[in-house]
Amino acid sequence: DYHGPGRGAANAVRAMLDALRATGDDAYLAKALELVRRVIHPEDDIASLSLDDPERRWSYTVMLQTLGRYIDDLDERGGHEDAVGYARASLLHYARWMAEHEYPYLEK
C-alpha cells in the first residue's frame, strides 16, 4: 500500500544520507534518490492522503524535514540539480497545502 511521505521513509532517507556522508559511497546516494521519488511527488493529490487526520498521519512532517536536509546535502555535493528541483517542488507543494489546511494543534 502506498502511504506517501512518513517517518519510516524519512528515517530511511536520513540513514542513507548519513551513510553517504560517513563513507562517500554513491550507492547510498542512489538509494536516497530512489526513496524520495518513491514516497513523494510535486503533484501528489494531498487530499487523498488524509493528512488532516493527525492521529494517523502526523508523521508526514518528518519527511518534509528530511527533504530539507536532502536538498542541503545534494546542493553541497553539486551535480544533482534534477533531484534538488524535484525535492524542492515536492516540499513547496506540501508547504502550500499546509499553509491552507494546517493550524496549531491547540487552536482546536
Side-chain angles (χ1 to χ4, degrees):
D1 292 333
Y2 175 73
H3 295 284
R7 76 176 180 266
N11 290 337
V13 170
R14 187 154 192 117
M16 294 301 110
L17 295 174
D18 289 344
L20 173 63
R21 191 171 287 262
T23 67
D25 185 343
D26 283 340
Y28 296 113
L29 174 60
K31 192 61 171 180
L33 294 170
E34 175 191 335
L35 289 170
V36 167
R37 288 189 181 268
R38 187 186 308 167
V39 301
I40 196 166
H41 191 278
E43 296 178 12
D44 275 345
D45 177 7
I46 297 173
S48 73
L49 298 176
S50 301
L51 299 185
D52 57 352
D53 179 359
E55 295 301 319
R56 292 185 40 236
R57 299 295 295 175
W58 64 269
S59 65
Y60 77 94
T61 57
V62 178
M63 185 65 200
L64 300 182
Q65 291 172 328
T66 296
L67 273 182
R69 163 132 183 250
Y70 173 87
I71 290 167
D72 287 345
D73 284 6
L74 292 182
D75 274 343
E76 186 179 298
R77 283 180 72 83
H80 299 282
E81 292 79 14
D82 288 345
V84 169
Y86 180 94
R88 185 172 284 123
S90 298
L91 183 59
L92 289 172
H93 179 58
Y94 277 75
R96 288 182 192 101
W97 181 88
M98 289 175 75
E100 186 175 332
H101 294 93
E102 291 286 12
Y103 56 87
Y105 183 75
L106 295 177
E107 279 188 4
K108 291 187 180 180

